[in-house]
Amino acid sequence: MKILVPVKRVVDYNVKVRAKSDESGPDLSNAKMAINPFCEIAIEEAVRIKEAGNAEEVVAVSVGDSASQEQLRTCLALGADRAILVETDESVEPLGVAKALKEVVSKESPDLIILGKQAIDGDSNQTGQMLAAMLDLPQGTFASEVNIQDGKVQVTREIDGGLQTLSLTMPAIITTDLRLNEPRYASLPNIMKAKKKPLETLQSADLGLDLAPRQNTLKVSPPPERAAGIMVESIDQLVDKLKNEAKVIS
């Protein structure tokens, strides 16, 4: 069985992102970049499935500029066998990513596609669902548990009312939630080994893809600063301010 794991290059979740002075977008100059946390969970799950003897190969794939090779190398250090970069200089939206992944899936014919449910920059939560629709494949979103049994994949997913378990016929698509697993750290020996693992680069133009964004960003601005709190001298004064100034009680 072959598992394909799409990953995205995003700003490290520990970095406090600021808007550019001209409000044209976020200021990413000198910002630390990393694998999207949900994508890390997807890589970890794929590697665990392989370690359990249920898969022979894990392939990481990313859509973006050449800098995304750094994150793909990290995926190789975490246990992926090889990597593919669909290179483009466009600011790719979920629809464009899904189109690119469709071409990669057609080329690789994976049995299972595992990807993060959303990226922490766009928070769109769309790529997995779009890809499933394009490929007409069964999907299990928000997965908190994944089991391979009898040629099928059982996905326990988190819903508003609790947990729902689906049995999917492969090939299938799974999007990962936070409680699926805890990603491992890449060891130094594995980081060194990752440098020798194959990383293939495909040009989006050669695949006949139109990845131009369909949306225009009007402006990116920081949220308004919170006003300083005040001290009150009594409960009566607090109630009065909540009632007459904040108007949160009647």
Side-chain angles (χ1 to χ4, degrees), residues 61-65 72 84-88 92 100-101 103-104 200-205 207 209 211:
V61 57
S62 189
V63 182
D65 60 22
L72 289 174
I84 299 171
L85 172 62
V86 179
E87 190 170 347
T88 176
V92 190
L101 292 178
E103 296 300 319
V104 176
E200 181 183 4
T201 299
L202 305 174
Q203 297 298 324
S204 60
L207 298 175
L209 295 170
L211 302 183

Side-chain angles (χ1 to χ4, degrees), residues 44-238:
E44 175 66 24
E45 191 64 23
V47 172
R48 290 188 185 189
I49 292 173
K50 180 187 173 184
E51 290 174 342
N54 292 318
E56 288 75 42
E57 186 178 34
V58 175
V59 183
V61 57
S62 189
V63 182
D65 60 22
S66 59
S68 298
Q69 292 187 27
E70 178 187 356
Q71 280 62 50
L72 289 174
R73 288 293 179 193
T74 301
C75 291
L76 295 173
L78 292 172
D81 298 290
R82 57 189 177 91
I84 299 171
L85 172 62
V86 179
E87 190 170 347
T88 176
D89 292 327
E90 296 282 2
S91 178
V92 190
E93 296 172 349
L95 178 60
V97 175
K99 288 179 180 179
L101 292 178
K102 180 185 176 183
E103 296 300 319
V104 176
V105 170
S106 299
K107 177 177 178 290
E108 293 289 330
S109 300
D111 301 283
L112 194 59
I113 304 166
I114 308 178
L115 64 163
K117 71 171 185 176
Q118 66 194 79
I120 60 172
D121 51 3
D123 272 338
S124 295
N125 183 17
Q126 295 174 339
T127 303
Q129 293 88 327
M130 287 179 172
L131 182 60
M134 288 180 178
L135 296 172
D136 194 23
L137 293 181
Q139 60 178 310
T141 56
F142 315 123
S144 60
E145 186 177 349
V146 174
N147 293 300
I148 309 293
Q149 294 180 351
D150 302 324
K152 293 189 175 182
V153 54
Q154 286 194 347
V155 179
T156 301
R157 58 190 301 267
E158 299 185 354
I159 58 176
D160 290 341
L163 299 175
Q164 178 187 51
T165 301
L166 304 175
S167 180
L168 307 178
T169 302
M170 293 188 281
I173 292 177
I174 298 171
T175 69
T176 61
D177 213 334
L178 282 173
R179 279 162 287 281
L180 179 57
N181 60 52
E182 184 174 342
R184 68 192 71 187
Y185 290 100
S187 64
L188 182 58
N190 287 338
I191 292 173
M192 300 305 294
K193 291 177 183 177
K195 295 180 179 179
K196 298 182 179 180
K197 290 184 178 181
L199 194 163
E200 181 183 4
T201 299
L202 305 174
Q203 297 298 324
S204 60
D206 295 339
L207 298 175
L209 295 170
D210 175 16
L211 302 183
R214 267 57 178 176
Q215 301 175 3
N216 292 322
T217 300
L218 301 181
K219 70 173 183 176
V220 176
S221 56
E225 293 185 6
R226 294 181 61 179
I230 60 173
M231 298 291 292
V232 294
E233 296 180 355
S234 66
I235 295 296
D236 291 338
Q237 187 180 3
L238 173 62

